[in-house]
C-alpha cells in the first residue's frame, strides 16, 4: 500500500534516511527540515537520485511552520524531530531542560494533535513517534532527554487507545545507540555550560562512542512501521537494547536503596 508520509526532522539522521528510503520505494514523502540549508541539501540529494521528494522547512517550535506543514495532504505523520543534551539532573540548567521538552514533547504533541484532527475526520491515519530506549529505562547523565521520552511514551499510550475508535493508529519506534551523530553531539553538548561557574559534581568525561550500531537497521524498521498494514505498537532495536529494556524494567520492581 502506497503511503504519503509527513516527516519531521528529516534534515539528518533517521529522518533523512527514512525520507530517502520511502521515496525510493515509491511512497509520497513530505520531508521537513529545521533550517533552510538542510532543505537545500536534501533537495539536491533527491534530485541527484531522481526521487520524487517534496522538501519543506519546518522548525517544529514555529507555529507558522507547523501550520504550513499540517496543511499538506498526508495519511501518516512521522513525529521524528528531537534533540538531546547531556548532564547530571542535579546541575543541568533548567533552560536546557525546557528546550528539550519544548522540542521533544510539546512541539511533537502539537504536530500529533494537528494530524489527529485530520485523521479523525478522514476515518483513518497513522501517527508514529520516535521515542527511544531512553524512554523505557534509566539513563544517568541523560536524564532530561530520558524524561522527555518517558513523556512521549505516556502520550503515545493514551493516544493509541483514544484514537483507535476513529480508525487512527498510534505507535512508537525506540532506537538504541546508532551511528547517526545524535548521541555524540548530545553528550558533547554539556561542555557548552559545564564551565559556567562552580560545580559540585564531577564531570562525566566526553568519550568516543564506539558501541553504536549501523543506522540502516533502524531506518529499515522505521519504514516498515510507517508503511505496513498492521505494525507493532512498539519497535525497539537493536535487539540487545530491547532485551536490556525488558530486563531493567523487571529489575526496577525489586530494586532497593
Amino acid at each position: 500500500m502506497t503511503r504519503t508520509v509527513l516527516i519531521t526532522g528529516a534534515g539528518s539522521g533517521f529522518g533523512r534516511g527514512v525520507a530517502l528510503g520511502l521515496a525510493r520505494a515509491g511512497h509520497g514523502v513530505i520531508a521537513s527540515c529545521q533550517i533552510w540549508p538542510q532543505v537545500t541539501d536534501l533537495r539536491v540529494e533527491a534530485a541527484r537520485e531522481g526521487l520524487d521528494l517534496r522538501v519543506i522547512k519546518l522548525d517544529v517550535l514555529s507555529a507558522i511552520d507547523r501550520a504550513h506543514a499540517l496543511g499538506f495532504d498526508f495519511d501518516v505523520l512521522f513525529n521524528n524531530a528531537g534533540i538531546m543534551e547531556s548532564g547530571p539532573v542535579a546541575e543541568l540548567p533548567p533552560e536546557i531542560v525546557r528546550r528539550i521538552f519544548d522540542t521533544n514533547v510539546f512541539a511533537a504533541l502539537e504536530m500529533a494533535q494537528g494530524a489527529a484532527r485530520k485523521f479523525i475526520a478522514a476515518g483513518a491515519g497513522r501517527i508514529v513517534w520516535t521515542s527511544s530506549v531512553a524512554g523505557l529505562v534509566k539513563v544517568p547523565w541523560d536524564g532530561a532527554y530520558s524524561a522527555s521520552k518517558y513523556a512521549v511514551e505516556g502520550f503515545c499510550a493514551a493516544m493509541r487507545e483514544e484514537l483507535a475508535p476513529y480508525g487512527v493508529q498510534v505507535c512508537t519506534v525506540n532506537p538504541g545507540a546508532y551511528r547517526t551523530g545524535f548521541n555524540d553531539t548530545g553528550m558533547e553538548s554539556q561542555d557548552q555550560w559545564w564551565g559556567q561557574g562552580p560545580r559540585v559534581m564531577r564531570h562525566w568525561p566526553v568519550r568516543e562512542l564506539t558501541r553504536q550500531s549501523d543506522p540502516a537497521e533502524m531506518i529499515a524498521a522505521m519504514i516498515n512501521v510507517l508503511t505496513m498494514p498492521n505494525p507493532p505498537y512498539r519497535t525497539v532495536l537493536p535487539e540487545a537494547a530491547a532485551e536490556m529494556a525488558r530486563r531493567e524494567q523487571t529489575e526496577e520492581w525489586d530494586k532497593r536503596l
Side-chain angles (χ1 to χ4, degrees), residues 8-193:
T8 69
S12 62
F14 292 128
R16 184 185 177 100
V18 168
L20 293 169
L22 286 170
R24 290 173 189 137
H27 295 281
V29 182
I30 305 160
S32 69
C33 304
Q34 181 185 19
I35 57 176
W36 285 110
Q38 292 176 328
V39 171
T40 300
D41 184 63
L42 186 53
R43 284 175 178 169
V44 168
E45 175 64 22
R48 184 183 298 120
E49 293 193 36
L51 298 175
D52 183 11
L53 180 65
R54 181 189 291 271
V55 187
I56 64 171
K57 189 260 187 185
L58 168 57
D59 178 346
V60 294
L61 298 180
S62 165
I64 294 172
D65 286 2
R66 290 195 303 268
H68 176 249
L70 289 167
F72 287 94
D73 290 328
F74 57 94
D75 50 20
V76 181
L77 169 66
F78 186 25
N79 227 354
N80 170 72
I83 61 173
M84 180 175 78
E85 296 197 38
S86 300
V89 173
E91 298 202 77
L92 192 63
E95 172 190 353
I96 290 174
V97 178
R98 291 190 188 97
R99 183 161 65 236
I100 291 170
F101 270 73
D102 281 344
T103 299
N104 295 1
V105 182
F106 299 122
L109 176 61
E110 292 202 53
M111 289 298 299
Q113 289 175 329
R117 292 186 186 100
K118 292 168 70 80
F119 296 162
I120 289 169
R126 182 177 298 170
I127 302 171
V128 179
W129 297 59
T130 297
S131 180
S132 174
V133 172
L136 304 174
V137 299
K138 65 181 183 300
V139 188
W141 291 84
D142 272 321
Y145 175 74
S146 179
S148 76
K149 293 304 185 180
Y150 269 78
V152 164
E153 290 290 328
F155 278 128
C156 286
M159 291 187 81
R160 179 191 67 205
E161 301 301 312
E162 293 166 356
L163 296 179
Y166 300 93
V168 182
Q169 300 172 326
V170 178
C171 47
T172 73
V173 287
N174 298 62
Y178 285 94
R179 290 191 302 273
T180 64
F182 182 83
N183 300 301
D184 308 75
T185 55
M187 187 172 70
E188 185 180 355
S189 64
Q190 66 188 295
D191 285 329
Q192 296 289 329
W193 59 266

Side-chain angles (χ1 to χ4, degrees), residues 1-18:
M1 179 178 180
T2 301
R3 305 279 188 175
T4 300
V5 185
L6 170 61
I7 304 173
T8 69
S12 62
F14 292 128
R16 184 185 177 100
V18 168

